Amino acid sequence: MSDVPGAPADLLRSLTRAERLLSRRLGAVLAEDELSIEAWRVLCLLADGQGHPMSEVSTEASLPPGTLTKLVDQLVDRNLVFRRIDPIDRRRIRAYLTVRGRREHARLDERVRASIAELGITEGSRPGVPPAADLVSQLDDLIGRLDPARRHDPAHRRDPVRRDDRVNAGVSGGPHR
């Protein structure tokens, strides 16, 4: 793309290529259970047990609201997710994992972690921090600088352990578990 190594075009190309290749790899793992990358992102976000408004799920899963509704309907049909009216703001709907959804997420999480471990990333630039976690931390910082809404939203400021969990769970693009 550019004659100068590290040029912005190289960063964009590398990030795009890495996301596509990782999505393809994880998609193959998830396909055995007839689950899409988008569904995996939803399950990972809901795995924290807090329940999330559909608008937040839409943003974090990088899906338009209509597409998300169809996807969540499918996850509800598979008894992986349920929806409830938000107890504080009754105009909002929150999504949660069912007991079966938590079990399936844990089972798939092991398979996704194993697939990522096969990539052989073993040494990071910071002592004691796995390289994938270090990369996710750097990408989260970059996203924070690029996304003005995220800069001011404390919900997106996760501690390093949570970021490590997301890397180990194989979540590309930063959706949270």
Side-chain angles (χ1 to χ4, degrees):
M1 284 209 140
S2 170
D3 293 338
V4 180
D10 292 334
L11 176 62
L12 181 60
R13 180 190 51 78
S14 294
L15 287 171
T16 300
R17 183 86 174 127
E19 192 276 335
R20 287 179 181 161
L21 290 170
L22 185 59
S23 290
R24 185 181 308 153
R25 180 183 189 92
L26 297 183
V29 170
L30 298 169
E32 296 172 24
D33 289 277
E34 299 179 6
L35 201 68
S36 67
I37 290 290
E38 293 80 11
W40 175 243
R41 287 179 177 149
V42 170
L43 295 181
C44 288
L45 175 64
L46 300 180
D48 67 6
Q50 298 175 14
H52 293 271
M54 294 293 284
S55 57
E56 179 184 339
V57 177
S58 174
T59 299
E60 291 296 324
S62 301
L63 293 171
T67 303
L68 175 69
T69 298
K70 290 175 188 172
L71 176 61
V72 170
D73 286 346
Q74 293 168 2
L75 295 173
V76 167
D77 289 346
R78 291 177 64 173
N79 192 26
L80 299 175
V81 171
F82 70 95
R83 291 177 276 217
R84 291 284 182 262
I85 295 173
D86 188 309
I88 296 170
D89 182 350
R90 299 190 56 78
R91 296 170 297 176
R92 297 179 92 176
I93 302 293
R94 296 180 80 84
Y96 302 83
L97 287 184
T98 62
V99 172
R100 180 172 184 254
R102 285 193 300 274
R103 278 194 314 262
E104 286 296 300
H105 176 267
R107 184 180 65 78
L108 291 167
D109 185 58
E110 286 182 28
R111 291 182 49 215
V112 166
R113 287 174 189 256
S115 179
I116 289 174
E118 290 172 5
L119 296 173
I121 304 171
T122 57
E123 295 182 24
S125 61
R126 296 184 296 164
V129 178
D134 195 25
L135 177 60
V136 167
S137 177
Q138 291 178 39
L139 289 172
D140 273 350
D141 289 344
L142 177 61
I143 291 166
R145 289 186 203 111
L146 294 171
D147 185 353
R150 200 161 176 195
R151 251 183 273 160
H152 303 293
D153 183 358
H156 290 289
R157 293 191 187 117
R158 305 287 188 198
D159 60 73
V161 172
R162 296 295 298 162
R163 281 194 284 254
D164 292 355
D165 287 347
R166 287 197 318 275
V167 167
N168 292 330
V171 179
S172 66
H176 306 121
R177 281 194 335 141

